[in-house]
Amino acid sequence: MQAFQLPQASLSTLNGHAQQWIECEQGMIWLSDDGHDVVLERGQRWQIRSNHTVVIEAFAHSRIKLEEEAGLVPGIAQAAKRQLQHFLQPLLQRHNAKTA
């Protein structure tokens, strides 16, 4: 994860890649990503669509966070694992009771 401060009216570029997320942690930004023009306010996120350059303009003093999708996956994977364990536990208990 990387975080950046953007002064008001600043214009920046990002060599983004698909599956990367941009989150506006403070302020308001406009970004252009592969033909998509998006305005993000505090707490909103956008997933980059391509491996092209992303243009970002800060409408106010802003802070953005960049996060790889891989940073998000473990939480999803852990939730799926818990659900699977919850489902399989009774089956395993019955199987172990039969073989004991």
Side-chain angles (χ1 to χ4, degrees):
M1 175 188 73
Q2 299 173 321
F4 301 94
Q5 298 285 333
L6 302 173
Q8 183 175 354
S10 65
L11 191 62
S12 304
T13 59
L14 167 68
N15 292 324
H17 57 277
Q19 311 308 315
Q20 190 175 35
W21 288 86
I22 298 175
E23 180 176 344
C24 182
E25 291 187 316
Q26 174 185 336
M28 178 189 290
I29 63 168
W30 162 84
L31 65 88
S32 182
D33 171 26
D34 197 32
H36 298 276
D37 290 323
V38 179
V39 174
L40 298 178
E41 297 181 79
R42 183 175 179 250
Q44 295 180 318
R45 300 165 49 103
W46 173 261
Q47 185 174 18
I48 295 176
R49 305 286 192 225
S50 70
N51 295 325
H52 298 113
T53 300
V54 176
V55 178
I56 303 169
E57 181 178 0
F59 290 144
H61 178 78
S62 301
R63 184 175 59 239
I64 62 170
K65 178 172 67 173
L66 302 175
E67 190 171 74
E68 302 296 324
E69 184 178 46
L72 302 174
V73 172
I76 295 169
Q78 288 173 355
K81 182 180 176 183
R82 282 193 303 272
Q83 287 180 341
L84 186 59
Q85 287 174 334
H86 179 74
F87 174 76
L88 291 177
Q89 188 173 3
L91 296 174
L92 290 172
Q93 287 174 345
R94 278 188 266 165
H95 173 75
N96 289 340
K98 287 181 183 178
T99 59

